Amino acid sequence: MKLIEEPSLRDRKYVFKNREEAGLLLAKKLKKYSKKNVIVLAIPAGGVPVGKIIAEKLKAKFDLMIVRKIQFPDNPEAGFGAMSFDGEIILNESLIRRTFLTREEIEHQIKKTKKEIERRVELFRGSKKFPKLEGKIVILVDDGLATGYTMLVAIKCVKKYKPKKLIVAVPTGNSNAISLIADEVDEIYCLNIRDEFIFAVADAYEEWHDLRDEEVLRLLDN
């Protein structure tokens, strides 16, 4: 695996104005893939504005990879695993053991996650089929890596479709999350790597908000 970062941004906070600026900076790093057989797959919601700009700058196809973290019952901001649109599930077993989640709680949260993924697939994709990835260079994009499990399940899903090359591109990421996915992909582009026990993707951005469905749909229509 090849890791490409921006050393001047290591362990710094509030280094991007917004997701759009971060997408532009990533696109510059990825310019060797311009006009190649590339498809950019963005993870909704936060990855969409980043991925859309990367795809535009690289003259690449753009689509979505709909995955979702499996949230804790009492803390929707945190997750103990992730699920993809095709049913792939990865659990953070060590975290589950430390938090004493019951099997019933885990199953309940998995069902909730499945319903939310189905809702997003219907809303964002409708009847549009998932793109063919075999033989293509796939760039998976999100607005950041916190634990890495959401990206990991996306990677596992993409690999089923036999891409020629698999790249992860994110503006910011926790070093532990990067280590989690490092052996699964060919390249990782992460401009702002931070070694923090408590890591928040939002801390990389001066302007930050959770994207609403309407904002994602607007980006998809443009």
Side-chain angles (χ1 to χ4, degrees):
M1 184 278 304
K2 184 179 180 182
L3 175 63
I4 297 90
E5 64 172 308
E6 184 54 62
S8 64
L9 301 184
R10 169 72 80 145
D11 286 323
R12 290 175 55 193
K13 293 185 178 181
Y14 309 111
V15 294
F16 308 114
K17 180 181 179 181
N18 50 35
R19 292 179 176 97
E20 288 75 16
E21 182 188 65
L24 286 170
L25 293 172
L26 274 173
K28 289 180 181 178
K29 291 283 189 182
L30 290 158
K31 63 183 179 181
K32 69 179 181 179
Y33 292 109
S34 179
K35 300 180 182 178
K36 305 289 186 182
N37 189 18
V38 170
I39 182 165
V40 175
L41 296 179
I43 297 176
V48 175
V50 182
K52 189 74 184 292
I53 285 178
I54 291 173
E56 288 172 354
K57 294 299 179 181
L58 299 185
K59 303 291 190 290
K61 293 181 180 178
F62 177 76
D63 214 305
L64 301 182
M65 168 53 70
I66 299 180
V67 296
R68 178 86 170 163
K69 69 183 174 186
I70 303 170
Q71 301 167 327
F72 278 99
D74 57 350
N75 183 6
E77 295 302 314
F80 59 87
M83 177 188 290
S84 67
F85 74 93
D86 66 349
E88 183 84 31
I89 296 173
I90 299 177
L91 299 178
N92 186 338
E93 298 289 357
S94 62
L95 180 58
I96 289 170
R97 286 193 294 270
R98 294 199 303 272
T99 52
F100 303 105
L101 282 171
T102 67
R103 181 51 54 184
E104 290 74 19
E105 288 173 323
I106 292 168
E107 291 300 326
H108 179 71
Q109 294 306 112
I110 287 174
K111 287 178 182 177
K112 281 183 64 177
T113 304
K114 185 174 184 290
K115 285 183 180 179
E116 174 59 18
I117 288 174
E118 289 171 349
R119 186 192 71 83
R120 289 187 171 202
V121 168
E122 177 63 28
L123 180 64
F124 298 145
R125 299 199 69 85
S127 60
K128 184 181 177 184
K129 292 182 179 180
F130 190 66
K132 294 182 179 180
L133 305 181
E134 187 170 355
K136 297 181 183 295
I137 299 169
V138 176
I139 303 178
L140 274 170
V141 178
D142 205 350
D143 55 6
L145 295 177
T147 66
Y149 276 84
T150 301
M151 184 60 76
L152 183 60
V153 84
I155 291 166
K156 296 287 190 183
C157 181
V158 167
K159 281 186 168 183
K160 298 174 187 175
Y161 298 89
K162 301 179 180 178
K164 177 183 178 181
K165 193 171 190 177
L166 183 49
I167 299 164
V168 167
V170 290
T172 186
N174 184 286
S175 56
N176 289 329
I178 290 171
S179 296
L180 179 71
I181 67 170
D183 293 336
E184 302 290 336
V185 297
D186 298 295
E187 297 176 356
I188 299 174
Y189 289 74
C190 183
L191 303 178
N192 169 235
I193 299 175
R194 307 201 311 268
D195 297 298
E196 296 175 341
F197 180 71
I198 299 176
F199 179 93
V201 170
D203 287 348
Y205 299 88
E206 293 176 3
E207 299 172 9
W208 171 270
H209 70 281
D210 291 325
L211 266 71
R212 302 185 306 277
D213 289 343
E214 294 78 12
E215 294 176 274
V216 174
L217 290 169
R218 193 158 54 244
L219 286 165
L220 296 176
D221 286 340
N222 290 339

